[in-house]
């Protein structure tokens, strides 16, 4: 596909997806959503890919929905933005949650609105020290969508989630890490190298086990302990028959580094 709104490349098992509308702070428009779908399909189908890294071009990660996009434009007909959520944002987040590889958000600058939710939908969020997270929605009369109302209270607890969502104050990256919203903060100048190293590491790990871990973690809040133990048992049974488990356990016994294939 000839991408106009994102950059996408694959190298050594690492897929890099960069939101690429820097003059509009990488806000989402309809065309970008189409390209995101195509890129996620590629990641899902190309078995050489072992990890996906999402970032933004220029000074921002993503400013959420492009408020000038015709789908949002106020005219004689009120826009049905619920429809935009159903058509674009819901499949985007579910696509990430169901992806067959781990995902990393490299938050290089502000992540606002659905842009913040996009970052939070990734398995690991690494932010530059100068980055921030903004639940911009209440400023324009909307609610945190794109999974915001799901991710926020789970990560930071109800009190902080409510404060962030209702007041829409910018949360600096360091505080986001302190609160448990994201995994790590690194100096701006070190972000790219740090994430490259992390992605290279993830690309050599047992992919299926990482993804089953994500699924089990996300299922837990809706399960009883007994249901969760059963889910863990099912995943352990499946992984116990996997080539990567055979390799991992053999490598341990033979005191050598494992060579996982993602199978
Ligand atoms: O469609 C649906 O289904 C609804 C879904 C909604 C999901 C959502 O994401 S709703 C939330 C939408 N996002 C926002 O409300 C954030 C709007 N942006 C901002 O509040 C600020 O831009 C930032 C705090 C993110 C950054 O501020 P600052 O001062 O660093 O930059 P700026 O000057 O405001 O923005 C730079 C340019 O980007 C500017 O364009 P210009 O004037 O230079 O031509 C600005 O208009 C543009 N821009 C920034 N965000 C958006 C945007 N253009 C369109 N849509 C944006 N969201």
């Amino acid at each position: 596909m000839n991408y106009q709104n994102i950059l996408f490349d694959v190298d050594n098992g690492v897929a890099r997806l960069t939101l690429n509308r820097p003059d509009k702070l990488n806000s989402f428009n309809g065309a970008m959503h189409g390209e995101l779908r195509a890129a996620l399909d590629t990641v899902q189908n190309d078995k050489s890919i072992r990890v996906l890294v999402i970032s933004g071009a220029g000074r921002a990660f993503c400013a959420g929905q492009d408020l000038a996009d015709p789908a949002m434009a106020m005219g004689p007909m009120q826009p049905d933005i619920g429809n935009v959520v159903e058509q674009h944002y819901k499949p985007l987040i579910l696509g990430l949650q169901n992806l067959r590889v781990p995902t990393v958000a490299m938050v290089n600058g502000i992540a606002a609105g659905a842009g913040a939710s996009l970052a939070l939908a990734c398995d690991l969020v690494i932010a530059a020290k100068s980055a921030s997270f903004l639940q911009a929605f209440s400023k324009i009369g909307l609610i945190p969508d794109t999974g915001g109302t799901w991710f926020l209270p789970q990560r930071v607890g109800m009190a902080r989630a409510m404060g962030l969502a209702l007041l829409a104050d910018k949360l600096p990256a360091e505080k986001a890490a302190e609160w448990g919203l994201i995994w790590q903060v690194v100096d701006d100048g070190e972000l790219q190298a740090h994430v490259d190293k992390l992605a290279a590491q993830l690309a050599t790990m047992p992919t299926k086990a990482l993804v089953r871990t994500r699924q089990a973690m996300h299922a837990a809040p809706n399960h009883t302990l007994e249901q969760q133990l059963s889910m863990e048992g099912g995943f352990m049974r499946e992984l116990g028959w996997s080539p990567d488990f055979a390799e991992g356990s053999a490598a341990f016994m033979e005191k050598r580094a494992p060579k996982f294939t993602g199978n």
Side-chain angles (χ1 to χ4, degrees), residues 11 18-19 53 65-66 68 76 120 142 159 200 235 259 261:
D11 181 34
T18 307
L19 307 174
V53 178
Q65 170 66 36
D66 182 338
L120 298 182
L142 296 177
F235 287 168
K259 280 193 180 148
T261 60

Side-chain angles (χ1 to χ4, degrees), residues 23-25 59 63-67 72 81 84-85 114 137 145:
D23 53 329
K24 297 295 173 194
L25 305 191
R59 71 180 173 93
Q65 170 66 36
D66 182 338
L67 297 174
M72 293 287 288
I81 59 175
V84 180
V85 169
F137 309 89
D145 74 345

Side-chain angles (χ1 to χ4, degrees), residues 130-146:
S130 67
S132 55
F133 296 81
L134 173 63
Q135 300 301 315
F137 309 89
S138 67
K139 289 190 175 178
I140 56 170
L142 296 177
I143 66 159
D145 74 345
T146 316

Side-chain angles (χ1 to χ4, degrees), residues 162-194:
M162 279 296 208
L164 291 171
L166 298 191
L167 303 177
D169 292 334
K170 270 188 203 170
L171 184 70
E174 281 182 302
K175 189 156 252 188
E178 195 186 307
W179 283 9
L181 185 68
I182 65 172
W183 170 233
Q184 266 177 343
V185 177
V186 297
D187 285 334
D188 289 23
E190 289 169 17
L191 181 67
Q192 187 69 60
H194 181 87

Side-chain angles (χ1 to χ4, degrees), residues 70 72-80:
M72 293 287 288
M74 290 290 177
M77 297 284 287
Q78 291 273 313
D80 181 349

